[in-house]
Amino acid sequence: MKLDPDKKLDIEEVLKDLDQYRPRRRGWSWRRKIADQAVGPFTYKDSSAALKNSVPLPAAEYFDNIDPQCDYVITTEISSGRFEDDLRRMRMAAWHGADHIMVIRTTGQSHIDGLIEGTPEGIGGVPITRKQVRATRKALDAIEDEVGRPINFHSYVSGVAGPEIAVLFAEEGVNGAHQDPQYNVLYRDINMHRSLVDAAESKRIMADAGILQLDGAHNANATAKEAWKVTPELLVQHAINTAYSRAAGLPAELIALSTVPPTAPPAPKLRLDLPYAVALRDLFAGYKFRAQQNTRYMETDTLETTVTHVLDTLISRLTATDIQSTITPDEGRNIPWHYNNIAGVNSTRQTLMGIDGIDEQLELRQDGPLQAQAREIKERAVLFLEEILESGGYYAAVEAGQFVDSGYYPERHGDGIVRDPAGGDGADTVVPRQPGYGAPVCSHFGDNSYAHGNGKPCDDYGGCSLCDHGKIQYIDELDTGDNVARRLQTPLEERARGLLRPEVEKHGDSIVCVTLFVPDSPHSAEQAALEMARHMNLKNPEVISRRVMHPAEGSLFEIKGLLDVAIDKAFLPQPAAVALAAEAEIEAWVRPRDIHIVAATVGEDEHSVGLHEILDIKHGGIEKYGFHCHDLGTSVAIDRLVDRAVELNADAILISTIVTHADVHKQHMQRLDERVRARGLRDRLVLVAGGTRVTDALARECGMDAGFGHGTSGHEVASFLMRSLRDRPGQ
Amino acid sequence: MSSLDRPDDFEARRAPLKSMTDEALHARFWELVERIVAPLIEEARTHTSPAIERAVLLRMGFSSIECKQLVDRMQQRGLLGHGAGRLVLELAKSKGMSIRDAGEALLRGEHSGEHWQALDTIIAGDTGEQP
């Protein structure tokens, strides 16, 4: 499957022959850091290879559109509930620099005792099934070819079906997964014995498949009352999962600690968060780090959230990480919208490129409060571990409520999470292995009568599914009502008809967001804002963010609502399709010919910015190709333009109509055509109009040879002029 | 909720740690962690669960639906501790069938039927008891 940057991802092709698809590689891919890499006018210290296709940061326009890539893997979390829509979001994210796609699971999958099959729709995430995973990996293969960088696909090996999901991921080429039995115990109330016993099997499978493991300690941040006080316990949780993983066979290079700076402003964030970050990296030297951005203290203001995440990213660079995860700035409001995945990735890469090489300029102080506080957190963590052992071990400590207590350990508030070792989902399901117990498969942990010195445990029957992919049983769909084919009927039909709807999450969701300031007290302003949204024809308007500017002077609102409109592409104005000629070709043809162009902003119009951008050499305008440009200024009468063109023996007239009243821009174009015709010059003069309201089709209707709208470059205009003049009879 | 409410007595508790070098403190940290994890990993080495056994059958070429049914039935019969995959493989060997045929025979068969009875013979060999 090959993608064309100008075409939408073909979901039908993704779904075709999925039973035959095999992952083309296994294991995790890191970016390779290139020291002192020259990109455009700069040399970067912390960068990696460029992409084949990408969308640079907006300000890159000022630096030859460079798109330097940082050396950290960048994560985005994707979770619309429909994987077929998520694939498009993944493609957009990859173009903006994400290479770790973390797919959130549907609510409640942790408690499903077995694998789910088919493609049912999820809530807050997708049901992780073989078909969904396979289709996603297949699409990501094509996307990584398009951008030119490996993309890591990631989901969760947790819940009561962990080992089966681990097998599925190993078979299907999933590259990373969360696996931490403590998460099951504390947050999912899954029986501790079941969680721990299952986890060893899952980890062993992940180890052999090269799947990078992320732990679950960051969840303690997200749930703690005062997140900066949970730091000693975070070290403990990281350590328990890490030591358990090593014992189950995971090598250090496949163990990534999932760590979040605990606080957000107005808390003194760096002073609180850096000591923990330093303590963690000291204690876990040799392991990988996955730095998450803060979700604990995020509200609905996306700018505030973005600033917190920039500071989180700064902490990552100051203390080192391997993966920088991004959180969408709207996560405090709703299930993330796709363009906010892009926003999160962009603010992160913007930060990382902006602080490139900071290690050469700054270092963390080795004396003073930072190191003292890091030491204190470590000592508190050691005391925490001692109490676990004094309580009688891990199970007893959880039962005694030692975990996720809101006190700053050894302070205890008695509000920790308490779990009964004999209770929870899956209680009483763990059984001792009997004499002779065996499992004739690869990647099995623990006592196994088939694990003998020579050969594989699966040799007796020609190899397990990890050795012989042909053994995998592929189930397509089980539910005739809830599946991707059903869900795609309307979107594919609308796409075929050329209909477009706004969306933020899923195809055709029709959600739009408007920003309104209303100059009144908060309550009345909010009611008025909603009423205004209804007047805009938005259905079900809902305030998703409110910010008081002043209690009496007014408030700012962001309102989402449904705009139930499908636009038919066939009736949209078409852009001027000017094929760019090579710059050298234009100049070689133009410069020796002494071509004069007369230009002006016409009508009652004092705005000449657009025209300058097209003409001036300073702005990359057509002068640079050797056209002699005569700018007559603003508010120029059409007759004067034509007179001057005659005097100069010009070859073309350019008019700009930026600000228009009613159809006055049309009249100017028609008048120019008429006046030139009246003097018998229409064959000699190329006529071009530009302006924000001008389209090529409109300009041609009004007698021009071409029209150029907003965003036109001098290069486009020069290409058009050169071709028109070159192709004139007699040339 | 735990009943334990304790003030921050860190200054008193840290006394034995205070004089340790960073290296010694790090070593102490990891030594404690290893002691906490040791009994947990020992339990995992010597125990199994329905999810583990389903994951074994999955690797042997059964679908998720077949794995679930086979493991549920073995669990009801108290056979999981012998290893679901092992029982299927040894049944296949004893009957001269492929493992898929052995699994399908178990899925189709009654608990009182020939194939399920054969599993009892297989596990009896482990302890020397007669079925």
Side-chain angles (χ1 to χ4, degrees), chain B residues 29-46:
Chain B
F29 176 89
W30 283 108
E31 181 216 320
L32 293 167
V33 173
E34 297 296 341
R35 279 168 56 195
I36 290 165
V37 162
L40 303 176
I41 202 75
E42 179 60 14
E43 183 184 11
R45 191 178 66 76
T46 56

Side-chain angles (χ1 to χ4, degrees), chain A residues 375 378-380 382-384 386-387 390 410, chain B residues 9-29 31-32:
Chain A
R375 167 82 190 201
K378 292 180 207 169
E379 288 183 18
R380 287 177 184 266
V382 167
L383 296 173
F384 196 110
E386 285 174 351
E387 187 166 354
E390 283 158 18
Chain B
D9 55 358
F10 173 64
E11 285 306 326
R13 284 175 180 251
R14 77 182 298 193
L17 304 175
K18 210 169 177 176
S19 59
M20 281 186 183
T21 62
D22 270 357
E23 291 68 31
L25 187 74
H26 294 182
R28 171 85 179 141
F29 176 89
E31 181 216 320
L32 293 167

Side-chain angles (χ1 to χ4, degrees), chain A residues 91 349 453 611 615:
Chain A
R91 189 184 185 195
R349 65 178 173 140
L611 189 59
L615 299 180

Side-chain angles (χ1 to χ4, degrees), chain A residues 113-115 117 130 160-161 163-164 167 171 193-194 196-198 200-201 205 235 239-240 242-244 247-248 282-284 375-376 378-383 385-389 394-395 400-401 408-415 418 429-447 449-450 460-461 464-466 471 473 475 478, chain B residues 1-11 13-23 25-68 72 75 78-87 89-90 93 99-100 123 126-127:
Chain A
D113 204 4
L115 291 178
E117 300 282 0
R130 187 178 299 279
V160 286
E164 297 143 280
V167 169
E171 290 168 344
H193 295 277
R194 175 70 177 267
L196 270 297
V197 170
D198 281 357
E201 181 81 355
I205 295 161
L235 298 179
I240 289 174
T242 298
Y244 197 73
D282 282 354
L283 278 169
F284 291 83
R375 167 82 190 201
E376 179 177 334
K378 292 180 207 169
E379 288 183 18
R380 287 177 184 266
V382 167
L383 296 173
L385 292 167
E386 285 174 351
E387 187 166 354
I388 293 175
L389 286 166
Y394 176 75
Y395 295 146
Y408 187 34
Y409 192 87
E411 179 189 32
R412 298 263 303 259
H413 287 163
D415 55 0
V418 174
T429 55
V430 168
V431 295
R433 297 184 188 186
Q434 299 300 316
Y437 171 90
V441 291
C442 294
S443 304
H444 183 62
F445 176 78
D447 291 352
S449 58
Y450 296 96
D460 279 358
Y461 59 99
C464 65
S465 65
L466 300 176
K471 285 218 170 59
Q473 300 291 315
I475 294 175
L478 294 175
Chain B
M1 288 275 165
S2 122
S3 55
L4 185 59
D5 206 334
R6 184 168 68 200
D8 189 358
D9 55 358
F10 173 64
E11 285 306 326
R13 284 175 180 251
R14 77 182 298 193
L17 304 175
K18 210 169 177 176
S19 59
M20 281 186 183
T21 62
D22 270 357
E23 291 68 31
L25 187 74
H26 294 182
R28 171 85 179 141
F29 176 89
W30 283 108
E31 181 216 320
L32 293 167
V33 173
E34 297 296 341
R35 279 168 56 195
I36 290 165
V37 162
L40 303 176
I41 202 75
E42 179 60 14
E43 183 184 11
R45 191 178 66 76
T46 56
H47 288 69
T48 190
S49 77
I52 292 174
E53 296 307 316
R54 290 192 303 252
V56 170
L57 291 178
L58 202 60
R59 274 169 277 183
M60 291 171 71
F62 292 94
S63 74
S64 63
I65 299 168
E66 293 164 336
C67 294
K68 173 97 175 134
D72 281 354
Q75 192 178 15
L79 294 172
L80 275 195
H82 300 277
R86 172 181 178 242
L87 295 179
L89 175 61
E90 296 305 323
K93 283 185 188 166
I99 52 169
R100 271 220 64 83
I123 61 175
D126 296 335
T127 51

Side-chain angles (χ1 to χ4, degrees), chain A residues 309-373:
Chain A
H309 292 168
V310 166
L311 293 172
D312 288 329
T313 308
L314 175 63
I315 291 171
S316 298
R317 185 55 91 188
L318 289 173
T319 56
T321 193
D322 300 285
I323 303 172
Q324 179 61 54
S325 274
T326 67
I327 291 291
T328 65
D330 63 337
E331 199 177 294
R333 317 173 156 177
N334 45 246
I335 288 173
W337 290 356
H338 52 32
Y339 64 80
N340 283 316
N341 280 88
I342 310 307
V345 169
N346 275 335
S347 48
T348 299
R349 65 178 173 140
Q350 184 186 353
T351 306
L352 287 169
M353 295 336 295
I355 60 176
D356 179 80
I358 197 170
D359 286 354
E360 291 184 350
Q361 296 173 319
L362 294 179
E363 63 183 347
L364 298 178
R365 283 180 66 159
Q366 293 303 306
D367 57 342
L370 173 59
Q371 302 302 334
Q373 282 159 23

